[in-house]
Amino acid sequence: MRLRALIPILVLLLVGCATIPTSGPVESLPVTVPPRGIEIAPEPPQPGISPGRLIDGFLQAMADPEADYAVARQYLTKEAGTAWDPSVGARIYEGAVTGDGRSFSLKGTRTGALDASGRFTAANAAIAVDLNVVEEDGEWRIAHVPDGVLVSRFMFERYYSHATVYFLGAAGDLVIPDIIHVPEPLLTPARIVQSQIDGPSTAIAGVVRNALPKGVTLGGSGATVDQNGTAVVSLRNLPDSMSEELRRQLGAQLLWSLTAIPRVRGLRVIDDGVPLELPGQDAEGVLELASQQGYQVLSRAATPDLFGVRDGVAGRVGMAGSFVAMGSDGVRVSEVAASLDVALVAFIDENRRVVLIGPLGGQLTQVVPDLLEIRDAQFASGQLWVLGDDPLGRPRLLRIDSQGGGTFVDTGALPGRIERFAIAQTGTRAAFVVRVGGEPQLVTATLGAASGPAVVGSWPLLLMDESAEELHGITDISWSSETELAVLAGAAEAPSVYLAEMDGSAVEHLGPIAVVPTQVTALPRMGGDAVVIRSAGGEVLRYEARTRWSPLDLTLSQVNYPG
C-alpha cells in the first residue's frame, strides 16, 4: 500500500466538532478535530482544567509517543501514571465520548488492534472504555486507564507509519515481507532493527528464517543513517565466527528492512565496536542496496504488458491496447498466464482439462492432471498454480513446475471450499476466497513444504472500507504488491475494486467503475497500482492513478498480468 502523507498533527479524532461539557445529562461528547496540515503538539494539563477538558487533552496527548508518552501521563493521577503501560499495544476505533461531569466513557467500534510489536489485527467489535476523574492535589486527574493506547481510525490511517520489514525464506535466497505499524516519530533505524531482533510475526514464523541469531541486541551506538543514506547498525552478541553465507544473508535482511526508512541506500554493521565484513560491500565497507536486488522477488518484473484470451487465442496486450497473438501449439485456450519475468508461459485448453507450460516462444509441455474445470492459472516462485475439481467435484490446488511435474497442495487447513486463490510471488503466502456457511470469506494463509506443499496456517481477513463498513461478497483477488491485494467485493449488482493490505490495516476503494467487473488481475510490483478488470461481456478497463479506469479498445474472455 502506498504510504499516506504523514502529517505531524498529534491529535485524536473522534467525531464532530464540539468540546466536552463537564456537567448535565449524559450525551455524546466528540473531540475537536483540527484540519489537516496544522501542526499541533499536545500540552500538559493547565492549572484549573475542567474534567471535560482533561479527558479531551488526554485523548489528544495519547497521540504523542515521545518520552514514553510523558505528556499523556500528566493527565493521570500519580498512581495511574506510574501503572499505565502504553507499550502493550493499541486499540484502533471509531467512536465518541459520553460523560456527566466526572464519569466519562469512550464508546464506538473497535476496527483493529496493534500488539506490542506493532502488528495489526483487523476487528469489527464494540468498544467501551471508562475514563473517570478524581481530584488530586486540588486538580482533576484521570484515576485509571487500561494499558495500551487508544487510537482513532482517522489518526491511525494518517499518522502511523506502515513499515515493511523482511526475513529470509527457507532457502535463504529471498526476503519475505512482514508488516509493522508505529507512530511516525518512532519510525527510526533502531526501531526497524529491533523488529528484526524481535523476530517475524506468528503468521510466517514457521516458514522463514531470521538472519539475526537469538541473543543479538542493539549495541551502544544503536542504529543511525548518515548523510549519504548509509545505515550504520551497531550489534552485540553476534557469533564469534559467522560464515560468508550467513554474513551475506544478515546484510540482505537488515538492508532490505531498513529501506522502511526512505533515505536508506546502504548498510554498515558494527559488531561489538568492530566493523563486520559483509560480502559484496564496496571499498568503503558499505553494502549498497543496488547490489541486493536479487533478494527481492518483485525486482524480477519484466513488463507491464497484460496477457489475455480472445476467441480462443492467447495474446499479449501492450500499454497502447494492441493485441498480439501468441503460439499455443495450435490449441484453443481458455486462459493464459506468464511468470513475473515472462520467461515462462502457460495455457489452459478451452475444455479446461489440459495445461501447456514452457518457455516463452519455446517448446511447450502438455500436462493432463486428473482434474475438471482447471482455472485461475497464475505463476509464483517460478511455478504455475491452478485450481481444478477432482472427479468428486472437490476443488484441488495443483502446483506445476517448469518441466510439467505436478504436485497437489494440501489445503486441509482452510476453513471452507476454495472458490478463488492468489499466491504471493515469494510462494510463502496466499489469499483464498473460501465458501463458509454459504458465504464467501477471505482468508490469508501461509504455505509450507516440510513434507510437500501445504497450507500450514490460515486466518480470516476482515476488510473495512473508508466508511468503516465491512466488505462482503468477495469474488476475486490478485496480489498487487508484496503486501497488498486487489479485491473484487460488494453486492452482486454492484461489485467494486479495492486495494487492501494483507493484514487489513488499510483499504482503498478504486471506484467508481462504469462496468460490472467479474475478474480482477494486478501486476505484483513495488508500490502496486497496476490493476485491470474485466466484465462478463469481456470489456477490459485498466486502472491509472491519474485517469482512474480507462477502457481498452478490445474484448477479452480472460485477462492476466505476469506473475
Side-chain angles (χ1 to χ4, degrees):
M1 179 70 69
R2 294 140 311 287
L3 292 178
R4 291 171 169 83
L6 297 171
I7 308 169
I9 305 176
L10 298 175
V11 63
L12 186 64
L13 173 68
L14 297 177
V15 178
C17 300
T19 56
I20 302 179
T22 58
S23 62
V26 176
E27 57 181 312
S28 178
L29 305 171
V31 173
T32 302
V33 182
R36 287 189 180 190
I38 298 177
E39 189 171 324
I40 295 179
E43 296 181 351
Q46 300 300 307
I49 191 171
S50 67
R53 292 292 185 186
L54 185 80
I55 298 296
D56 189 349
F58 175 64
L59 292 175
Q60 292 188 36
M62 270 199 292
D64 182 6
E66 295 294 339
D68 192 25
Y69 296 85
V71 173
R73 291 183 190 276
Q74 296 180 52
Y75 285 82
L76 308 178
T77 62
K78 293 182 178 67
E79 181 179 358
T82 300
W84 179 47
D85 183 6
S87 69
V88 301
R91 283 179 282 180
I92 295 95
Y93 69 93
E94 290 206 355
V97 173
T98 60
D100 64 0
R102 295 190 183 184
S103 297
F104 299 90
S105 181
L106 171 63
K107 294 182 178 180
T109 301
R110 179 168 57 88
T111 62
L114 296 177
D115 66 14
S117 297
R119 292 187 168 94
F120 180 89
T121 301
N124 184 10
I127 187 173
V129 180
D130 292 331
L131 299 168
N132 298 326
V133 300
V134 299
E135 194 170 2
E136 181 178 79
D137 298 332
E139 297 287 350
W140 295 112
R141 292 294 182 265
I142 300 169
H144 171 75
V145 62
D147 286 340
V149 297
L150 300 167
V151 182
S152 76
R153 191 170 186 235
F154 175 91
M155 189 197 73
F156 176 70
E157 291 177 347
R158 289 160 176 80
Y159 313 124
Y160 267 60
S161 292
H162 157 116
T164 301
V165 296
Y166 296 89
F167 297 90
L168 292 171
D173 58 346
L174 292 177
V175 288
I176 310 298
D178 217 0
I179 301 175
I180 63 170
H181 304 266
V182 296
E184 191 273 337
L186 300 186
L187 183 62
T188 64
R191 179 66 182 84
I192 297 301
V193 176
Q194 187 60 51
S195 76
Q196 303 281 279
I197 294 171
D198 293 342
S201 63
T202 301
I204 62 168
V207 296
V208 299
R209 295 194 291 112
N210 192 348
L212 274 71
K214 289 184 179 180
V216 170
T217 63
L218 269 170
S221 301
T224 59
V225 180
D226 67 20
Q227 60 184 2
N228 297 318
T230 299
V232 182
V233 177
S234 174
L235 297 175
R236 288 195 183 116
N237 303 326
L238 283 171
D240 291 337
S241 178
M242 293 183 69
S243 69
E244 180 177 345
E245 184 60 20
L246 289 178
R247 285 180 283 114
R248 187 189 311 278
Q249 293 172 354
L250 173 69
Q253 180 180 310
L254 275 176
L255 181 50
W256 272 107
S257 295
L258 284 161
T259 60
I261 310 296
R263 64 185 183 278
V264 169
R265 296 294 181 268
L267 170 70
R268 293 176 61 227
V269 174
I270 308 299
D271 176 17
D272 284 328
V274 179
L276 179 69
E277 182 181 350
L278 299 174
Q281 68 185 31
D282 63 19
E284 297 180 353
V286 175
L287 183 67
E288 296 183 348
L289 182 61
S291 70
Q292 302 299 298
Q293 295 300 307
Y295 282 90
Q296 170 54 264
V297 67
L298 294 193
S299 68
R300 303 171 189 178
T303 176
D305 286 355
L306 180 71
F307 291 77
V309 176
R310 182 173 68 180
D311 298 327
V313 177
R316 192 166 179 167
V317 182
M319 291 300 293
S322 59
F323 183 89
V324 179
M326 301 169 58
S328 55
D329 285 356
V331 176
R332 290 181 58 82
V333 304
S334 59
E335 291 190 22
V336 59
S339 61
L340 192 63
D341 58 5
V342 199
L344 294 171
V345 293
F347 308 91
I348 299 175
D349 79 314
E350 64 179 352
N351 294 319
R352 296 188 178 275
R353 297 292 303 273
V354 178
V355 176
L356 295 96
I357 185 171
L360 179 65
Q363 184 175 355
L364 301 176
T365 298
Q366 188 175 100
V367 182
V368 188
D370 189 17
L371 293 174
L372 305 172
E373 291 300 315
I374 301 173
R375 57 199 182 273
D376 287 0
Q378 55 194 266
F379 278 92
S381 66
Q383 300 181 91
L384 179 69
W385 305 68
V386 298
L387 189 65
D389 298 333
D390 69 13
L392 297 179
R394 297 171 301 193
R396 299 294 305 275
L397 184 61
L398 179 67
R399 189 184 69 186
I400 303 173
D401 63 31
S402 60
Q403 304 304 311
T407 307
F408 285 106
V409 181
D410 181 357
T411 58
L414 294 176
R417 177 187 176 92
I418 303 173
E419 295 195 338
R420 304 304 295 265
F421 77 98
I423 308 294
Q425 284 302 302
T426 60
T428 56
R429 275 196 178 96
F432 294 89
V433 179
V434 297
R435 181 69 56 170
V436 180
E439 294 293 328
Q441 182 182 98
L442 180 61
V443 301
T444 56
T446 304
L447 300 175
S451 58
V455 173
V456 295
S458 67
W459 301 265
L461 179 57
L462 186 153
L463 300 179
M464 308 278 281
D465 67 13
E466 292 95 328
S467 302
E469 295 293 328
E470 186 175 343
L471 297 187
H472 292 284
I474 295 172
T475 56
D476 202 10
I477 49 178
S478 181
W479 288 94
S480 59
S481 77
E482 59 181 354
T483 64
E484 180 184 73
L485 288 160
V487 178
L488 194 58
E493 65 276 9
S496 196
V497 184
Y498 300 82
L499 292 179
E501 281 297 338
M502 66 182 183
D503 61 357
S505 60
V507 178
E508 179 184 358
H509 181 214
L510 302 185
I513 307 173
V515 302
V516 178
T518 58
Q519 183 192 358
V520 62
T521 182
L523 177 64
R525 62 182 182 181
M526 304 296 284
D529 283 358
V531 182
V532 162
I533 56 173
R534 179 185 59 83
S535 72
E539 299 164 285
V540 180
L541 284 77
R542 178 185 282 128
Y543 177 78
E544 299 171 352
R546 290 186 178 181
T547 59
R548 300 303 241 181
W549 293 102
S550 300
L552 302 183
D553 189 20
L554 75 171
T555 300
L556 300 175
S557 58
Q558 185 256 352
V559 289
N560 219 340
Y561 266 121

